[in-house]
Amino acid sequence: MRMWIVFLLCLAGHAMAAPTEEVLVTEEPVYEEPEVGANPVQVDVGEFDEAIEIVEEEVLDNPCLNHHCKKGKVCEVDEDNTPLCVCQDPTTCTAAEGEFEHVCGTDNKTYDTSCHFFATKCALEGTKKGHKLHLDYIGPCKHIDTCLDHELSEFPLRMRDWLKNVLVTLYERDEDNNLLTEKQKLRVKKIYENEKRLQAGEHSLDLLAHDFEKNYNMYIFPVHWQFGQLDQHPVDGYLTHTELSPLRAPLIPMEHCTTRFFEECDSDSDKYIALEEWAACFGVKEQDVDKDLVI
């Protein structure tokens, strides 16, 4: 529990990240996978951002200084001294200092670092293999147990509790840190001051289920809040694979139902998770889904 509060605090602290470039559609992908940090738990959302190629005021002596490329690409100049983004050679990536820097791709291959992964993915752009290749999770590839039906039903119980306690922790720490907006603080304050609130800790699944039933209203905003934290690239009311990655990539090695949970959240299998689908996955009733809560 403590580990997860630290992890989700990192997500909350950097919610407003720069736009990225991947949308999971059947056509040629526009976006790419997010980069990951060195620590498999304390992941900074900013590290998942992929800068759009932007050319600012040209710098004659080195045009690449103000030319930003997305992950997996580096800047080079052509014969006219014009900056271009080209795929990085994986051999130029810095070697991993430890196993914690390894990442696993959806091809079930362990990459030495995220740099190696993105460089490899870039080289495969435009191919069927490249279109299907995504970053799966942080750490070397390993056997992930099959998620059984009863285990899948337990997953949202823990996630809802984590989200609620992360918001409470943010509220307690948010003096002048701007971790929450004023509107968010008002909503979390009601949860924080509620005498019936289940305190953070390791609780049985039965207790978590009972608390959700008895104190249902405490969980509505945390579920909406997490959706808003992830829907940043762009803010369009849908979550893509890339937008989910800051949450799922560190989570998979610890929660083997993660992949199946998010797959089944996409109830219409269109590669996007709408707010209504997200809320339903966490047990929020249809009449309580409110886009205004995604602040």
Side-chain angles (χ1 to χ4, degrees), residues 261-278:
F261 175 77
F262 288 126
E263 286 176 349
E264 297 198 6
C265 276
D266 180 19
S267 58
D268 58 5
S269 301
D270 65 350
K271 305 300 182 183
Y272 297 90
I273 297 179
L275 175 60
E276 293 77 11
E277 293 174 311
W278 176 266

Side-chain angles (χ1 to χ4, degrees), residues 196-244:
K196 296 181 180 180
R197 176 170 59 89
L198 185 64
Q199 300 296 315
E202 297 296 333
H203 303 296
S204 68
L205 295 173
D206 287 341
L207 179 56
L208 292 175
H210 176 76
D211 188 65
F212 180 65
E213 180 180 350
K214 295 298 182 181
N215 299 306
Y216 167 76
N217 288 332
M218 289 191 199
Y219 294 91
I220 296 176
F221 179 65
V223 171
H224 284 76
W225 170 79
Q226 180 64 88
F227 185 91
Q229 292 294 105
L230 296 171
D231 183 25
Q232 300 290 336
H233 319 299
V235 180
D236 58 2
Y238 296 92
L239 300 182
T240 63
H241 188 282
T242 292
E243 290 175 309
L244 282 169

Side-chain angles (χ1 to χ4, degrees), residues 87-134:
C87 290
Q88 182 174 1
D89 183 346
T91 61
T92 63
C93 293
T94 303
E97 295 183 0
E99 192 173 275
F100 62 88
E101 291 192 61
H102 297 338
V103 298
C104 183
T106 49
D107 55 356
N108 201 36
K109 176 181 176 182
T110 297
Y111 293 83
D112 200 40
T113 66
S114 58
C115 174
H116 291 83
F117 171 81
F118 292 124
T120 300
K121 180 175 173 62
C122 181
L124 294 172
E125 278 186 352
T127 67
K128 184 176 181 180
K129 183 177 180 180
H131 179 65
K132 293 183 177 180
L133 180 60
H134 303 290

Side-chain angles (χ1 to χ4, degrees), residues 70-85:
K70 60 184 180 179
K71 304 301 181 183
K73 293 189 175 185
V74 293
C75 180
E76 294 183 358
V77 294
D78 62 13
E79 58 186 12
D80 296 322
N81 205 38
T82 301
L84 302 171
C85 289

Side-chain angles (χ1 to χ4, degrees), residues 5-206:
I5 289 180
V6 171
F7 161 53
L8 288 176
L9 279 172
C10 291
L11 293 184
H14 300 272
M16 303 305 294
T20 56
E21 298 184 29
E22 181 182 37
V23 176
L24 292 187
V25 294
T26 55
E27 293 84 5
E28 182 177 348
V30 180
Y31 292 91
E32 62 170 308
E33 287 301 320
E35 186 178 352
V36 298
N39 188 314
V41 175
Q42 293 179 305
V43 180
D44 189 317
V45 170
E47 295 175 343
F48 285 81
D49 297 336
E50 298 160 9
I52 296 176
E53 201 169 295
I54 301 173
V55 180
E56 299 179 355
E57 185 177 343
E58 185 175 25
V59 181
L60 296 179
D61 56 343
N62 187 355
C64 282
L65 286 178
N66 289 326
H67 191 81
H68 304 284
C69 300
K70 60 184 180 179
K71 304 301 181 183
K73 293 189 175 185
V74 293
C75 180
E76 294 183 358
V77 294
D78 62 13
E79 58 186 12
D80 296 322
N81 205 38
T82 301
L84 302 171
C85 289
V86 299
C87 290
Q88 182 174 1
D89 183 346
T91 61
T92 63
C93 293
T94 303
E97 295 183 0
E99 192 173 275
F100 62 88
E101 291 192 61
H102 297 338
V103 298
C104 183
T106 49
D107 55 356
N108 201 36
K109 176 181 176 182
T110 297
Y111 293 83
D112 200 40
T113 66
S114 58
C115 174
H116 291 83
F117 171 81
F118 292 124
T120 300
K121 180 175 173 62
C122 181
L124 294 172
E125 278 186 352
T127 67
K128 184 176 181 180
K129 183 177 180 180
H131 179 65
K132 293 183 177 180
L133 180 60
H134 303 290
L135 186 148
D136 199 11
Y137 54 88
I138 296 172
C141 296
K142 64 179 183 179
H143 171 72
I144 303 293
D145 292 334
T146 300
C147 177
L148 304 178
D149 290 344
H150 77 276
E151 294 174 319
L152 183 64
S153 67
E154 297 168 356
F155 184 89
L157 295 175
R158 293 189 292 271
M159 281 294 296
R160 286 190 302 246
D161 188 55
W162 291 333
L163 295 178
K164 181 193 66 179
N165 286 306
V166 163
L167 276 174
V168 170
T169 303
L170 285 173
Y171 178 79
E172 291 174 328
R173 297 182 179 181
D174 194 14
E175 295 180 359
D176 299 313
N177 297 320
N178 296 320
L179 300 175
L180 296 171
T181 67
E182 291 304 316
K183 289 184 178 180
Q184 290 172 336
K185 289 178 184 178
L186 290 175
R187 294 189 177 277
V188 181
K189 181 180 180 181
K190 295 180 180 179
I191 300 174
Y192 176 74
E193 294 180 344
N194 194 315
E195 294 180 355
K196 296 181 180 180
R197 176 170 59 89
L198 185 64
Q199 300 296 315
E202 297 296 333
H203 303 296
S204 68
L205 295 173
D206 287 341

